[in-house]
Amino acid sequence: MTALEIGAYPGEEALLEAARRGQPGLSVYPFWETAVVLGRGSVADVELRAARCLEAGVPIYRRRGGGCAVVLDPGNVIIGLALQVPGIGHNQRYFNEITDWLTAGLGDMGLDGIYQDGVSDLVWADRKVGGACIYRDGRVLLYAASLLVRPDVALMTRYLKHPPREPAYRAGREHAAFVAALGARAPGLSVEGFAAQLNDALAHRPLPLAAL
C-alpha cells in the first residue's frame, strides 16, 4: 500500500502569528473540502481506514491540537480562536471558559441546550455536535473547534475506525448513533449562512479568558 502523505493542517498559522503580536484572532468559516484530520498524537494506522483514504484521494492533515482523528467536509463549520494567556497549564479551565463563550454565541442564534461533555465535546441531547482541541505555544493559546452543521456522517464510518479512546457518554456508540447535525435545528439556513451568523454572534461578545 502506498504510504500516507500527511500535511500540516492549514489555516492556523495566521491566527497564531497575530496572537503572538498581542492581537487576538477569531475565524469562523465552512470547511472547504473533504479531509481527514489527525490529532497531534494520533496514529494513522490505529485511527484511520487508510486504504479507503488512499483509494479516494482524501487529503490527510495533522493539526497542532490533541484528540483523535476526525473527518471534516463542507458541512462542517470551523472556529479558530487564538489569544495570549498567562502562565502554563489550566487547559481544562480554558476549555470550560471558551465553551461557555461559544455556546452563548450559539444561544444567540436560537440554538440553546448545547453543553460540554468529555474534555471538550459540544453536545446536544446526548449527541456530539462539535469537537474542540487546544494548542499552547508559549503564552499563546489556540482553540480550534469543528461544528457538525450539515455533515456527511457516512464519511466518518468510511474513513475512521472506532477511536482508541472515547468520552464516557459515547458508551461505545458507532459514529451514526453518536453524532447529530446542528443544521437540523436551522432547516432554512445554509452552512455559509450558519458560519456568518455565528461569526457575528461571537464578534459581538467579549472574548473569553479576560478575567483569568
Side-chain angles (χ1 to χ4, degrees):
M1 184 176 69
T2 304
L4 292 174
E5 294 185 7
I6 301 174
Y9 181 80
E12 296 179 338
E13 192 58 36
L15 284 175
L16 285 168
E17 282 300 321
R20 291 179 186 121
R21 296 192 300 269
Q23 301 169 352
L26 169 66
S27 61
V28 183
Y29 56 92
F31 201 66
W32 59 89
E33 62 181 343
T34 295
V36 172
V37 182
L38 298 165
R40 181 176 61 246
S42 291
V43 178
D45 289 345
V46 173
E47 300 184 25
L48 305 187
R49 302 186 188 279
R52 295 180 182 179
C53 296
L54 284 168
E55 181 181 4
V58 173
I60 300 172
Y61 301 119
R62 189 178 295 278
R63 62 181 178 267
R64 290 175 173 85
C68 291
V70 298
V71 172
L72 299 181
D73 66 43
N76 287 250
V77 167
I78 309 302
I79 299 100
L81 175 69
L83 67 173
Q84 291 189 4
V85 296
I88 60 174
H90 308 296
N91 281 350
Q92 189 60 60
R93 185 180 181 186
Y94 294 146
F95 269 130
N96 298 345
E97 181 83 2
I98 296 171
T99 298
D100 287 347
W101 169 78
L102 178 53
T103 55
L106 290 166
D108 291 342
M109 297 172 60
L111 299 172
D112 298 314
I114 298 171
Y115 59 94
Q116 181 174 302
D117 207 331
V119 174
S120 58
D121 283 357
L122 293 157
V123 182
W124 178 68
D126 202 38
R127 295 281 192 109
K128 181 177 178 177
V129 294
C133 61
I134 277 176
Y135 168 74
R136 302 288 294 275
D137 180 6
R139 293 186 302 160
V140 172
L141 178 147
L142 172 69
Y143 171 91
S146 58
L147 295 181
L148 305 174
V149 179
R150 301 192 187 281
D152 185 343
V153 176
L155 296 177
M156 301 177 191
T157 302
R158 186 177 306 165
Y159 298 131
L160 301 179
K161 298 177 182 178
H162 197 90
R165 56 191 183 278
E166 62 182 36
Y169 81 96
R170 180 166 184 162
R173 286 178 287 175
E174 295 301 320
H175 299 294
F178 174 55
V179 304
L182 280 172
R185 299 179 62 188
L189 194 60
S190 68
V191 178
E192 293 77 12
F194 187 103
Q197 286 195 20
L198 180 58
N199 183 73
D200 185 64
L202 295 176
H204 283 84
R205 287 189 161 272
L207 286 174
L209 312 183
L212 297 181

